[in-house]
Amino acid sequence: MSGTDPAPAAGARRTGSGFGRLLVTVYGILAFAAIGRSSYELATKLSEAPVAYSLSTLSAVVYVLATVALARGGPRWRVVAWVTVGFEAVGVLAVGAASAVSPDVFGETTVWSGFGQGYGYVPLVLPFVGLWWLWRTRPRGTSGDDGAAAAPATPEPTEPAAPDPEVR
């Protein structure tokens, strides 16, 4: 973490540790693939299908931001991760549905076309795994593992105090 990022909240787990390392690695690989694809498409074929190639570029930017945000995992980066991974989920569902209804809707395929079919459906599964991981590693104190409200910071007495024998 850099010196400008606040320390993680007490009880918070890092998004980039444990299973999160695998998640960050998969996001990084997908970001790299999407950047390669979109760079080539923008440089050589943009006029053929500008919407499709712009969507591929957008997905590359989303994957890069999600990768960095999940790897960093501080409070501000967690917000970025929630936004980018949520946007990714909506994007892959919307583009996937549009391309399923009309396969030539964008002129060419995008990373999210066919729900990520060209990438082994990883773009369809990954945002939901990412959202689950963000939820699982959320800072404690907002809610418990079972979704119940967290215990108050100051515990309340569980039984009434015994009456004072001197007072009648």
Side-chain angles (χ1 to χ4, degrees), residues 24-39:
V24 168
T25 300
V26 173
Y27 263 102
I29 291 168
L30 197 55
F32 185 73
I35 288 170
R37 174 186 179 140
S38 66
S39 297

Side-chain angles (χ1 to χ4, degrees), residues 162-168:
D164 188 354
E166 299 293 318
V167 178
R168 292 197 185 231

Side-chain angles (χ1 to χ4, degrees), residues 8 25 27 29 33 48 71 76 79 81 98 105 116 118 134-135 139 157 161 163 165:
T25 300
Y27 263 102
I29 291 168
E48 294 174 23
R76 291 183 190 134
V79 172
V105 68
L134 285 166
W135 176 257

Side-chain angles (χ1 to χ4, degrees), residues 17-85:
S17 64
F19 174 77
R21 287 183 190 223
L22 175 63
L23 188 62
V24 168
T25 300
V26 173
Y27 263 102
I29 291 168
L30 197 55
F32 185 73
I35 288 170
R37 174 186 179 140
S38 66
S39 297
Y40 171 76
E41 291 169 343
L42 289 177
T44 62
K45 310 189 293 183
L46 181 62
S47 62
E48 294 174 23
V51 174
Y53 301 144
S54 296
L55 281 171
S56 288
T57 302
L58 176 63
S59 69
V61 170
V62 168
Y63 290 132
V64 168
L65 279 172
T67 302
V68 172
L70 288 166
R72 298 296 303 250
R76 291 183 190 134
W77 284 109
R78 286 184 69 82
V79 172
V80 173
W82 276 107
V83 170
T84 56
V85 175

